[in-house]
Amino acid sequence: MRRLLLALPFALLPLTSPVTANEHEHKDHHHEHDHAEHGSLDAHEHGAAQLNVVLDGKALELQLDSPAMNLVGFEHAAKSDADKAKVSAARSELEKPHALFGLTTGDCALTKKSLESPLFSASAPAEKHDHDHDHKKAHDGEHSDIEAHYMLECQQPDDLKQLDLAELFKRFPSTEKIQVQLIGPNGQQGLELTPAQPTLSF
């Protein structure tokens, strides 16, 4: 249920709004799940990641979907101590959205966070369905992604003019580009961020 919560607002735009889509989230779970499976595999490209951003009033929602290769340097299940350390380090970095997305204005507080990947299954299994699914994917040798989803509440959203992903590119240097879909006060926009151009404006 937590996977790709932002898929519906973007998929159904302009037919609905993020609020309406979230109200139908449970009903459309199977559609969401299929979209997540097929969409992430089709879009899987080393060096590239996807970021969905929604700013609606005080609510800021961020979802980063990246091949594990970009963040930890491999996609197989971590067995060696060195690989486990890399997974742990990446997970630790992903726990800090304020630093990764340059959230220095807007007075935004993190209210919910979810980090999901087959590589995380051993140390922090998700609910049984997700764990079994991720475990199978890892053993089938399919591409492994890492999904990070954040919900924040911004007390001064008008002060939130941009996101700066310079720190994300610095901490995960194998990430060469990030395709962004943004829904904000000025409507929807899509753009590509790179280490040379790491900022986006609301």
Side-chain angles (χ1 to χ4, degrees), residues 44 46-47 66-76 119 144-146 174-175:
H44 189 99
H46 293 173
S66 173
M69 181 67 72
N70 298 349
L71 307 183
V72 300
F74 57 86
E75 298 192 346
H76 56 264
L119 302 186
S144 296
D145 285 1
I146 293 177
S174 294
T175 302

PDB file of all heavy atoms in Angstrom, residues 44 46-47 66-76 119 144-146 174-175:
ATOM      1  N   HIS A  44      14.245   1.282 -15.399  1.00  0.00           N
ATOM      2  CA  HIS A  44      15.491   0.975 -14.697  1.00  0.00           C
ATOM      3  C   HIS A  44      16.689   1.271 -15.598  1.00  0.00           C
ATOM      4  O   HIS A  44      16.906   0.622 -16.613  1.00  0.00           O
ATOM      5  CB  HIS A  44      15.480  -0.506 -14.281  1.00  0.00           C
ATOM      6  CG  HIS A  44      16.595  -0.875 -13.368  1.00  0.00           C
ATOM      7  ND1 HIS A  44      16.428  -0.979 -12.002  1.00  0.00           N
ATOM      8  CD2 HIS A  44      17.894  -1.167 -13.611  1.00  0.00           C
ATOM      9  CE1 HIS A  44      17.583  -1.321 -11.458  1.00  0.00           C
ATOM     10  NE2 HIS A  44      18.473  -1.445 -12.413  1.00  0.00           N
ATOM     11  N   HIS A  46      20.850   2.421 -15.036  1.00  0.00           N
ATOM     12  CA  HIS A  46      21.920   2.776 -14.124  1.00  0.00           C
ATOM     13  C   HIS A  46      22.366   4.214 -14.378  1.00  0.00           C
ATOM     14  O   HIS A  46      22.504   4.644 -15.521  1.00  0.00           O
ATOM     15  CB  HIS A  46      23.107   1.817 -14.278  1.00  0.00           C
ATOM     16  CG  HIS A  46      22.791   0.425 -13.835  1.00  0.00           C
ATOM     17  ND1 HIS A  46      23.644  -0.641 -14.009  1.00  0.00           N
ATOM     18  CD2 HIS A  46      21.693  -0.089 -13.222  1.00  0.00           C
ATOM     19  CE1 HIS A  46      23.091  -1.748 -13.525  1.00  0.00           C
ATOM     20  NE2 HIS A  46      21.908  -1.433 -13.038  1.00  0.00           N
ATOM     21  N   GLY A  47      22.569   4.955 -13.284  1.00  0.00           N
ATOM     22  CA  GLY A  47      22.954   6.350 -13.389  1.00  0.00           C
ATOM     23  C   GLY A  47      21.779   7.293 -13.376  1.00  0.00           C
ATOM     24  O   GLY A  47      21.933   8.496 -13.173  1.00  0.00           O
ATOM     25  N   SER A  66      15.254   4.768  -7.336  1.00  0.00           N
ATOM     26  CA  SER A  66      16.564   4.670  -7.981  1.00  0.00           C
ATOM     27  C   SER A  66      17.024   3.228  -8.056  1.00  0.00           C
ATOM     28  O   SER A  66      16.785   2.439  -7.140  1.00  0.00           O
ATOM     29  CB  SER A  66      17.593   5.479  -7.172  1.00  0.00           C
ATOM     30  OG  SER A  66      18.905   5.273  -7.666  1.00  0.00           O
ATOM     31  N   PRO A  67      17.713   2.847  -9.145  1.00  0.00           N
ATOM     32  CA  PRO A  67      18.381   1.546  -9.138  1.00  0.00           C
ATOM     33  C   PRO A  67      19.351   1.479  -7.958  1.00  0.00           C
ATOM     34  O   PRO A  67      20.019   2.473  -7.637  1.00  0.00           O
ATOM     35  CB  PRO A  67      19.136   1.525 -10.469  1.00  0.00           C
ATOM     36  CG  PRO A  67      18.379   2.471 -11.351  1.00  0.00           C
ATOM     37  CD  PRO A  67      17.901   3.560 -10.427  1.00  0.00           C
ATOM     38  N   ALA A  68      19.412   0.343  -7.308  1.00  0.00           N
ATOM     39  CA  ALA A  68      20.319   0.189  -6.171  1.00  0.00           C
ATOM     40  C   ALA A  68      21.767   0.468  -6.574  1.00  0.00           C
ATOM     41  O   ALA A  68      22.561   0.961  -5.764  1.00  0.00           O
ATOM     42  CB  ALA A  68      20.194  -1.219  -5.588  1.00  0.00           C
ATOM     43  N   MET A  69      22.098   0.186  -7.842  1.00  0.00           N
ATOM     44  CA  MET A  69      23.456   0.417  -8.324  1.00  0.00           C
ATOM     45  C   MET A  69      23.900   1.860  -8.076  1.00  0.00           C
ATOM     46  O   MET A  69      25.050   2.122  -7.726  1.00  0.00           O
ATOM     47  CB  MET A  69      23.530   0.091  -9.820  1.00  0.00           C
ATOM     48  CG  MET A  69      24.914   0.275 -10.434  1.00  0.00           C
ATOM     49  SD  MET A  69      26.124  -0.926  -9.807  1.00  0.00           S
ATOM     50  CE  MET A  69      25.543  -2.409 -10.629  1.00  0.00           C
ATOM     51  N   ASN A  70      22.979   2.813  -8.239  1.00  0.00           N
ATOM     52  CA  ASN A  70      23.321   4.229  -8.065  1.00  0.00           C
ATOM     53  C   ASN A  70      23.676   4.566  -6.623  1.00  0.00           C
ATOM     54  O   ASN A  70      24.455   5.483  -6.369  1.00  0.00           O
ATOM     55  CB  ASN A  70      22.141   5.123  -8.472  1.00  0.00           C
ATOM     56  CG  ASN A  70      21.768   4.974  -9.927  1.00  0.00           C
ATOM     57  OD1 ASN A  70      22.482   4.366 -10.717  1.00  0.00           O
ATOM     58  ND2 ASN A  70      20.622   5.534 -10.284  1.00  0.00           N
ATOM     59  N   LEU A  71      23.059   3.846  -5.681  1.00  0.00           N
ATOM     60  CA  LEU A  71      23.173   4.223  -4.273  1.00  0.00           C
ATOM     61  C   LEU A  71      24.138   3.367  -3.476  1.00  0.00           C
ATOM     62  O   LEU A  71      24.751   3.855  -2.516  1.00  0.00           O
ATOM     63  CB  LEU A  71      21.785   4.175  -3.612  1.00  0.00           C
ATOM     64  CG  LEU A  71      20.682   4.986  -4.316  1.00  0.00           C
ATOM     65  CD1 LEU A  71      19.395   4.923  -3.522  1.00  0.00           C
ATOM     66  CD2 LEU A  71      21.106   6.432  -4.527  1.00  0.00           C
ATOM     67  N   VAL A  72      24.279   2.091  -3.853  1.00  0.00           N
ATOM     68  CA  VAL A  72      25.188   1.220  -3.097  1.00  0.00           C
ATOM     69  C   VAL A  72      26.284   0.590  -3.957  1.00  0.00           C
ATOM     70  O   VAL A  72      27.226  -0.002  -3.442  1.00  0.00           O
ATOM     71  CB  VAL A  72      24.414   0.100  -2.352  1.00  0.00           C
ATOM     72  CG1 VAL A  72      23.424   0.687  -1.373  1.00  0.00           C
ATOM     73  CG2 VAL A  72      23.714  -0.824  -3.323  1.00  0.00           C
ATOM     74  N   GLY A  73      26.151   0.685  -5.285  1.00  0.00           N
ATOM     75  CA  GLY A  73      27.199   0.166  -6.165  1.00  0.00           C
ATOM     76  C   GLY A  73      26.981  -1.252  -6.641  1.00  0.00           C
ATOM     77  O   GLY A  73      27.812  -1.804  -7.360  1.00  0.00           O
ATOM     78  N   PHE A  74      25.857  -1.866  -6.255  1.00  0.00           N
ATOM     79  CA  PHE A  74      25.537  -3.233  -6.708  1.00  0.00           C
ATOM     80  C   PHE A  74      24.050  -3.455  -6.532  1.00  0.00           C
ATOM     81  O   PHE A  74      23.362  -2.621  -5.929  1.00  0.00           O
ATOM     82  CB  PHE A  74      26.336  -4.280  -5.906  1.00  0.00           C
ATOM     83  CG  PHE A  74      26.138  -4.209  -4.421  1.00  0.00           C
ATOM     84  CD1 PHE A  74      25.072  -4.865  -3.800  1.00  0.00           C
ATOM     85  CD2 PHE A  74      27.003  -3.472  -3.623  1.00  0.00           C
ATOM     86  CE1 PHE A  74      24.880  -4.796  -2.434  1.00  0.00           C
ATOM     87  CE2 PHE A  74      26.821  -3.388  -2.252  1.00  0.00           C
ATOM     88  CZ  PHE A  74      25.766  -4.056  -1.655  1.00  0.00           C
ATOM     89  N   GLU A  75      23.545  -4.593  -7.070  1.00  0.00           N
ATOM     90  CA  GLU A  75      22.115  -4.880  -6.971  1.00  0.00           C
ATOM     91  C   GLU A  75      21.819  -6.279  -6.427  1.00  0.00           C
ATOM     92  O   GLU A  75      20.666  -6.648  -6.282  1.00  0.00           O
ATOM     93  CB  GLU A  75      21.452  -4.694  -8.342  1.00  0.00           C
ATOM     94  CG  GLU A  75      21.581  -3.267  -8.828  1.00  0.00           C
ATOM     95  CD  GLU A  75      20.695  -2.961 -10.022  1.00  0.00           C
ATOM     96  OE1 GLU A  75      20.177  -3.909 -10.627  1.00  0.00           O
ATOM     97  OE2 GLU A  75      20.523  -1.779 -10.330  1.00  0.00           O
ATOM     98  N   HIS A  76      22.868  -7.041  -6.120  1.00  0.00           N
ATOM     99  CA  HIS A  76      22.658  -8.381  -5.563  1.00  0.00           C
ATOM    100  C   HIS A  76      22.421  -8.278  -4.052  1.00  0.00           C
ATOM    101  O   HIS A  76      22.691  -7.241  -3.440  1.00  0.00           O
ATOM    102  CB  HIS A  76      23.883  -9.262  -5.842  1.00  0.00           C
ATOM    103  CG  HIS A  76      25.163  -8.669  -5.324  1.00  0.00           C
ATOM    104  ND1 HIS A  76      26.007  -7.926  -6.132  1.00  0.00           N
ATOM    105  CD2 HIS A  76      25.738  -8.677  -4.098  1.00  0.00           C
ATOM    106  CE1 HIS A  76      27.041  -7.517  -5.422  1.00  0.00           C
ATOM    107  NE2 HIS A  76      26.903  -7.960  -4.184  1.00  0.00           N
ATOM    108  N   LEU A 119      17.210  -5.104  -0.989  1.00  0.00           N
ATOM    109  CA  LEU A 119      18.473  -5.112  -0.241  1.00  0.00           C
ATOM    110  C   LEU A 119      18.259  -4.827   1.241  1.00  0.00           C
ATOM    111  O   LEU A 119      19.118  -5.142   2.060  1.00  0.00           O
ATOM    112  CB  LEU A 119      19.441  -4.071  -0.823  1.00  0.00           C
ATOM    113  CG  LEU A 119      19.792  -4.236  -2.300  1.00  0.00           C
ATOM    114  CD1 LEU A 119      20.862  -3.242  -2.713  1.00  0.00           C
ATOM    115  CD2 LEU A 119      20.271  -5.649  -2.602  1.00  0.00           C
ATOM    116  N   SER A 144      17.319  -4.520  -8.921  1.00  0.00           N
ATOM    117  CA  SER A 144      16.888  -4.086  -7.597  1.00  0.00           C
ATOM    118  C   SER A 144      16.841  -2.568  -7.551  1.00  0.00           C
ATOM    119  O   SER A 144      17.804  -1.900  -7.932  1.00  0.00           O
ATOM    120  CB  SER A 144      17.866  -4.596  -6.526  1.00  0.00           C
ATOM    121  OG  SER A 144      17.851  -6.007  -6.477  1.00  0.00           O
ATOM    122  N   ASP A 145      15.721  -2.046  -7.088  1.00  0.00           N
ATOM    123  CA  ASP A 145      15.569  -0.610  -6.901  1.00  0.00           C
ATOM    124  C   ASP A 145      15.542  -0.284  -5.415  1.00  0.00           C
ATOM    125  O   ASP A 145      15.300  -1.159  -4.580  1.00  0.00           O
ATOM    126  CB  ASP A 145      14.270  -0.113  -7.537  1.00  0.00           C
ATOM    127  CG  ASP A 145      14.356  -0.033  -9.059  1.00  0.00           C
ATOM    128  OD1 ASP A 145      15.418  -0.385  -9.614  1.00  0.00           O
ATOM    129  OD2 ASP A 145      13.363   0.351  -9.687  1.00  0.00           O
ATOM    130  N   ILE A 146      15.767   0.974  -5.107  1.00  0.00           N
ATOM    131  CA  ILE A 146      15.580   1.493  -3.760  1.00  0.00           C
ATOM    132  C   ILE A 146      14.562   2.621  -3.864  1.00  0.00           C
ATOM    133  O   ILE A 146      14.711   3.521  -4.686  1.00  0.00           O
ATOM    134  CB  ILE A 146      16.905   2.000  -3.153  1.00  0.00           C
ATOM    135  CG1 ILE A 146      17.866   0.819  -2.917  1.00  0.00           C
ATOM    136  CG2 ILE A 146      16.645   2.742  -1.838  1.00  0.00           C
ATOM    137  CD1 ILE A 146      19.232   1.211  -2.395  1.00  0.00           C
ATOM    138  N   SER A 174      27.275   8.006  -8.150  1.00  0.00           N
ATOM    139  CA  SER A 174      26.912   7.187  -9.318  1.00  0.00           C
ATOM    140  C   SER A 174      25.589   7.621  -9.928  1.00  0.00           C
ATOM    141  O   SER A 174      25.210   7.154 -11.003  1.00  0.00           O
ATOM    142  CB  SER A 174      26.844   5.703  -8.938  1.00  0.00           C
ATOM    143  OG  SER A 174      28.130   5.218  -8.584  1.00  0.00           O
ATOM    144  N   THR A 175      24.870   8.509  -9.238  1.00  0.00           N
ATOM    145  CA  THR A 175      23.630   9.060  -9.778  1.00  0.00           C
ATOM    146  C   THR A 175      23.988  10.220 -10.697  1.00  0.00           C
ATOM    147  O   THR A 175      24.498  11.246 -10.252  1.00  0.00           O
ATOM    148  CB  THR A 175      22.697   9.554  -8.645  1.00  0.00           C
ATOM    149  OG1 THR A 175      22.434   8.447  -7.767  1.00  0.00           O
ATOM    150  CG2 THR A 175      21.392  10.082  -9.209  1.00  0.00           C
TER     151      THR A 175
END
